[in-house]
Amino acid sequence: LVELRRYADAEKATRRALALRPSYPRARVNRGVALRHLGRWREAAAWQQKALALSPNMPDAWSELGLCR
């Protein structure tokens, strides 16, 4: 959905994914990406940090975190 620039839909989808599997780092990264595109920078950074707490070697989470700052 992010690739289609449907950021609000992507944010909702990741919220549902995290409800089903809260410890899934990829969903946390994707939620952060959607939030960043919605202009919610602080929330986006927080989600990238949550992803990195679970999986510290995710390059895209580090990259996204940098884009949020």
Side-chain angles (χ1 to χ4, degrees):
L1 294 171
V2 169
E3 293 83 14
L4 298 173
R5 297 183 180 185
R6 293 175 47 194
Y7 306 121
D9 291 336
E11 190 273 333
K12 289 176 190 173
T14 58
R15 196 177 331 142
R16 287 190 302 269
L18 287 163
L20 294 172
R21 195 168 159 200
S23 63
Y24 184 45
R26 172 60 46 206
R28 291 172 185 236
V29 171
N30 291 343
R31 183 174 173 113
V33 171
L35 290 168
R36 180 175 59 80
H37 283 285
L38 291 170
R40 294 163 58 183
W41 301 92
R42 287 185 184 165
E43 289 176 81
W47 281 101
Q48 299 309 338
Q49 290 170 333
K50 290 175 184 181
L52 289 165
L54 291 174
S55 185
N57 295 322
M58 291 185 78
D60 51 338
W62 284 109
S63 176
E64 282 293 326
L65 183 59
L67 292 172
C68 292
R69 297 188 178 222

